[in-house]
Each structure stands twice: as C-alpha cells, then as structure tokens.
Amino acid sequence: MPASTPSVVLTDCSFAWPDGSTVLDHVSAAFGRGRTGLVGANGAGKSTLVRLVTGELTPTGGRVVTSGDVDVLPQRLDTGPDDTVADLLGIRTTLEALRAVLGGDVDPGHFDRIGDDWDVESRAEAAIDALGLGLGPDGLDRRVGTLSGGEAVLVAVAGIRLRGRPIALLDEPTNNLDRRARAALLDMVDSWRGTLLLVSHDRELLEHVDETVELRDGSLTVFGGTFAAFEERLAVEQAAAERDVRAAEHTVRVERRQRIEAETKIARRARAGAKAALSMPKILANEQRKKAQETAGRLRGTHASSEADARDAVTTAEERLRTDDRITVDLPDPRLPATRRIATLTIAGRTTVVQGPERIAIVGDNGVGKTTLLERLVGTDHAREHPGAEAVAHTTRIAYLAQRRDGLEDELSVLENVRRAAPDVPPALLRNRLARFLVRGDAVDRPAVSLSGGERFRVALASLLLADPPPELLVLDEPTNDLDIDSADELVDALRAYRGALVVVSHDEAFLDRLDLTARLTLVR
C-alpha cells in the first residue's frame, strides 16, 4: 500500500477551462508512494489533472504541491521526424556528449552534460533489451517513425524508468500494446519504485495498483485496492441507493394517500359543520367554523410537510444513483450491395477480397506493420511500402480513423474541425450531432488541443460519420484506445449494425471477439 507520506498533494484545488467547463471543484486529495490508478469517464478531466500535477497547467484556485521531480508519459507522444529512440528515452543530449568525449572531444560542456551518467548507453541498451523489442545494435539511433505505436510507448515508459524521477505519471500506457508488450509493461509497473499514477480504462492494468482514485463531476474519491475492488464496492453502494430510492418513493405514495384521506375527512367535517350551523346561533356557528378551519389548516400543513419531506428524501437518494450519459453512435447506411468488391488484402502471398458489408480484423505483434498496411489501404500521402503485404481499396468512399487521431487540427475548435468534413451541413445540425457524442454547449468551441483522448476519438468519429455520401469502407486503427468502458460498448453495438465494410486493427481481443468478424488476418514479421 502507498506510504503515509504524500508525494502529490492537492489543496482546495479548482480548475475550469475558459468556456466555464469545470474539471476540478475545490478538491483536496493526496497521492502517496506506490501505484495509484486514476479512473473516470471520458472527458472527466483525468489528462487535465495530469497536466496540473506536472505544472503544464495552473489551477484556477488552490494549489498542487509535489515532493519531487515529476516525469510523464502523455496520452499522445509528441515526436518529430528526426527523433530517435534516444530522444524517447530522454538521453540523446547525454549520449551525444558521451560519444563526443569517447571520440576525443574534450569540450568541458560535454562533461557537464554527462555528469555522472558515464554508463548511460549501456544502461539504455540493457533497458531496451529487457523489453525484448529487438531494435538491433544501433537501436538507440533508430528513428521513432520506424517504430510501431506500441513499441514507441514501451520505449517511452522505459525512459521514465531510466531517468528515475521520484514521481511518474503514465496516461493510458497500454494503448497500442500487444500481449508481449503488455506483459513487459506490467512487469515494470509491478517493480516500480517511487510514486506511480496510472491513468487508464484498462481493467488488467488497474489490477496492478494499490489504490484506485475516481475523478467524477469535479471531485476526487479515493478507494483502497484495485479497480475490481472499487467496482465491487460501487455496485454495493448503487444497490443500496436503488433500495433507498424505492423505499423513499413508497413513502411518498403513503404520504400522498394519507394527505388525500385527510382532505376527504376535512371535507366531510366541513359539510357536517355547515349542516349543524343551520341550527346554531350565528355567533356560535362562526366560532365553530373558525375552529374547524384552524384544525383543517394544521392537518393540511402536517401532511403537506410530511409529503414534502418524503419527496426530499427521494431527491437525496436519487443523487446517490449514477445515471451517466452515454454516447450515441449511429453509423450511416451506405446501401452497399453484398457482391460489391471493396478492398483486396494480400498478406504472405494469400489474397483476401473484402466484399460487401464484411468485417475484417488485422492482428499481429507490435512492429509488424499493421498501421503501414492500413495507410496503404486508404492511400495516405506518407504511406510506406510493406515488405510482406499489400492493400488496395476499390472505393473512394473511405472513412479512416488513424491511431494517433491526428485528423484533427489542434488550433481549430471542435466545431471548425467537424465543419471541415461537412462544409455544407448547417452549424446547428453539427452541434446537434456532436451532442449525441456528449460534446455539448460551449465545449464545441474549445480548441481540439484541449480534448482528452476519449473526447478526441468522439469528435474524430463524428467528423467521419457526417461525410456525404456515407463511407462504404470504415478503416479503424486501435479504435478502443482511450475509450471508457461504456463508450467502447456503444462502439461495438454500432459496428455490429453497420452495413458497410470494416477493416480494423486492434490488440483489444475482447473488443474483436464481439464484432462478429468475417475473418482475422495475421500479419507477421
């Protein structure tokens, strides 16, 4: 379990975007040494919290204090075309200085950059070899662009381990990882020293944490134990809340019935009193009428108060129930004939023709070129040749969701990005469509750079689905990356109902198992 001395402390911390969207609302919490899993729905603000802890963002209220240097694996690796594995590991400057000294250059600046890290090259090579990536003798100089997404993530995590800062934040570290790479990552997590905060929707990874923290509606709640223990406790709490709602609703019905019965009695007494008053002296009749009205008023007040209290109890109980919104994904029908040839995939000399609304999965280890094959299929400008495979599309009506979700322009707003894909669609209709993806109100005017991974996926998918005419071929590269469980479920339902062709790459076996695939094609080195 995490030690009692906190490494990250949030004190009355608040953060809101310029459009008024609240991420944290006067939160006080502490993360200690050990492994903490941070969970929450897409858009809850988990990645924003990471940026607050690293200091990239400043709280709008309160403060964030860390006990040491912080290292981070962002949700999207920001690498350039000339970046190498050494850059991902964070050692390129030190490595270049070391090699310069070993080559006879005695510039004092080199020694300053090396410091005590004279063994940095051997330690880096050992870290890479331990991951089983097989990058070769010049692996540290290999371009990052030649790595798969999963290989790049694994190298970046190894770099954080290598640098050894006391606090590390990993944002969706299992994205793009195959089974072997996932096993290597889990081994690193299990042996991690210091404070490790894992932002993830990955159930398997979240079983390797000491405590689970949920970010929901601007508040943080700490649960001891793994994600499974958190879900079990949450299920018990929700079952109790449902019982309390039913009990409170029953009380409301009882109080309403008693109020109606009381009103009936009051009416009967009023009629009887009016009849008796006919035979009374007027002054006595007025006194009796006054007393009857006072009694009726008190009775009405008592029952009205009891019924109001019962309704308040229903409201209080309902506030404990979770009724989260879910995205609505309805893929347009391209009216694709079952005999229409859509694509041809050739892998290891074997050709597969994708015909009509067939669903094809391309699977294989990290680094075998699955993304490269998809880029060949959709005809991207930077698509490289694949040495053992080829893909050709027989339609131009293609919707492609890239692994990096880089189809969005970061500086443009959500609405502006979607309008690029559908320039003839009225903005009001675009806003309505985005609302079905849980992007509402002023959120559509936020710049794309501020979106979480899950939000970025929803906006990218909404852009694809607004194409006119609708796509005949949907090409998805790791579509469940960054998605919370409910959103992934909705995506599965939509893909199962889609009447166009589908080619998908994913390491998420549970996701693929639910798609009713026509075929799985395995790509090997």
Side-chain angles (χ1 to χ4, degrees):
M1 293 295 293
S4 58
T5 302
S7 301
V8 179
V9 179
L10 286 74
T11 304
D12 196 29
C13 186
S14 297
F15 182 82
W17 292 108
D19 65 6
S21 303
T22 299
V23 177
L24 295 178
D25 187 15
H26 298 284
V27 168
S28 293
F31 306 128
R33 286 177 56 87
R35 303 177 298 270
T36 298
L38 177 61
V39 300
N42 288 143
K46 302 182 297 298
S47 296
T48 302
L49 177 58
V50 167
R51 295 169 68 188
L52 287 167
V53 174
T54 61
E56 182 182 348
L57 294 175
T58 301
T60 52
R63 59 197 180 108
V64 179
V65 177
T66 60
S67 63
D69 292 336
V70 179
D71 216 336
V72 63
L73 173 76
Q75 199 171 87
R76 298 169 62 211
L77 288 175
D78 185 15
T79 57
D82 296 325
D83 285 352
T84 66
V85 168
D87 286 300
L88 266 185
L89 292 171
I91 64 168
R92 182 168 179 171
T93 300
T94 305
L95 185 60
E96 289 176 344
L98 177 62
R99 288 173 174 174
V101 170
L102 294 177
D105 188 342
V106 293
D107 185 335
H110 295 327
F111 291 89
D112 291 337
R113 286 189 286 274
I114 295 170
D116 295 327
D117 289 331
W118 290 94
D119 61 344
V120 64
E121 185 166 14
S122 60
R123 288 192 294 115
E125 290 174 344
I128 295 299
D129 290 343
L131 299 176
L133 293 180
L135 300 184
D138 298 320
L140 297 180
D141 299 314
R142 183 170 167 178
R143 300 287 185 207
V144 174
T146 67
L147 303 179
S148 71
E151 289 173 326
V153 168
L154 210 54
V155 170
V157 176
I160 293 175
R161 280 282 295 262
L162 196 64
R163 293 188 291 274
R165 294 174 187 169
I167 302 171
L169 313 177
L170 309 184
D171 197 349
E172 299 289 359
T174 56
N175 281 354
N176 311 318
L177 299 188
D178 60 25
R179 293 306 306 176
R180 185 176 61 181
R182 287 170 66 89
L185 175 70
L186 294 178
D187 285 344
M188 284 195 285
V189 167
D190 288 340
S191 60
W192 204 281
R193 296 180 179 178
T195 298
L196 178 63
L197 181 63
L198 298 163
V199 179
S200 183
H201 299 109
D202 188 315
R203 292 176 178 273
E204 183 181 14
L205 174 63
L206 292 170
E207 290 309 296
H208 291 255
V209 301
D210 302 308
E211 68 178 11
T212 301
V213 176
E214 184 187 33
L215 178 56
R216 175 183 169 85
D217 295 334
S219 298
L220 283 172
T221 306
V222 179
F223 297 83
T226 65
F227 184 66
F230 158 71
E231 284 194 307
E232 183 177 347
R233 176 175 167 182
L234 183 60
V236 171
E237 291 176 349
Q238 289 297 289
E242 289 175 356
R243 289 194 299 271
D244 290 346
V245 168
R246 290 195 297 269
E249 289 173 340
H250 175 72
T251 302
V252 168
R253 291 193 293 270
V254 170
E255 293 295 342
R256 184 187 300 120
R257 184 174 64 250
Q258 291 178 347
R259 177 177 58 80
I260 293 172
E261 290 173 352
E263 289 287 354
T264 302
K265 289 179 181 179
I266 291 171
R268 287 173 181 167
R269 289 174 182 173
R271 287 195 298 271
K275 185 176 181 181
L278 295 175
S279 59
M280 292 182 186
K282 187 173 182 180
I283 188 169
L284 181 59
N286 288 339
E287 184 67 25
Q288 289 289 88
R289 186 183 304 112
K290 181 180 179 182
K291 288 181 179 180
Q293 290 173 345
E294 290 174 351
T295 300
R298 287 194 299 270
L299 193 58
R300 285 193 180 99
T302 298
H303 284 287
S305 177
S306 296
E307 187 174 348
D309 289 343
R311 291 186 183 280
D312 288 343
V314 171
T315 301
T316 300
E318 286 178 338
E319 288 174 350
R320 294 164 48 206
L321 281 177
R322 299 193 172 203
T323 55
D324 296 329
D325 291 337
R326 295 182 61 173
I327 66 171
T328 301
V329 181
D330 50 348
L331 297 171
D333 186 354
R335 303 188 182 280
L336 184 63
T339 56
R340 171 76 185 278
R341 292 172 70 246
I342 294 298
T344 301
L345 306 173
T346 302
I347 297 175
R350 181 179 177 181
T351 297
T352 299
V353 176
V354 183
Q355 187 170 291
E358 293 185 331
R359 304 184 189 116
I360 308 296
I362 300 175
V363 299
D365 294 341
N366 288 138
V368 298
K370 301 184 295 297
T371 294
T372 298
L373 189 61
L374 293 190
E375 290 174 345
R376 297 284 293 178
L377 176 63
V378 302
T380 61
D381 293 337
H382 55 277
R384 306 188 307 270
E385 288 191 10
H386 193 292
E390 185 56 280
V392 178
H394 306 305
T395 178
T396 58
R397 290 166 54 183
I398 302 173
Y400 176 44
L401 189 70
Q403 186 180 111
R404 289 175 57 87
R405 314 292 190 250
D406 49 10
L408 302 180
E409 294 290 340
D410 283 345
E411 71 277 5
L412 297 181
S413 71
V414 168
L415 185 60
E416 289 169 335
N417 268 290
V418 176
R419 290 199 69 182
R420 289 169 57 226
D424 298 327
V425 179
L429 182 57
L430 293 180
R431 288 177 179 273
N432 180 62
R433 192 57 179 264
L434 284 167
R436 305 182 72 175
F437 287 82
L438 306 186
V439 184
R440 303 186 177 107
D442 292 338
V444 302
D445 298 316
R446 283 171 50 191
V449 71
S450 70
L451 300 176
S452 71
E455 291 173 318
R456 199 174 185 88
F457 168 84
R458 297 201 301 264
V459 173
L461 187 59
S463 300
L464 297 180
L465 302 188
L466 284 167
D468 187 22
E472 294 180 327
L473 173 61
L474 193 58
V475 181
L476 306 179
D477 195 350
E478 299 290 358
T480 58
N481 279 359
D482 313 315
L483 284 190
D484 61 39
I485 294 167
D486 286 343
S487 297
D489 288 343
E490 180 69 19
L491 178 62
V492 167
D493 291 342
L495 292 177
R496 284 166 57 94
Y498 179 51
R499 299 307 303 157
L502 170 68
V503 176
V504 58
V505 164
S506 179
H507 290 112
D508 188 337
E509 289 294 330
F511 168 73
L512 293 178
D513 287 342
R514 299 162 63 194
L515 290 183
D516 294 336
L517 294 169
T518 306
R520 291 188 189 219
L521 309 181
T522 302
L523 204 57
V524 296
R525 294 184 188 275

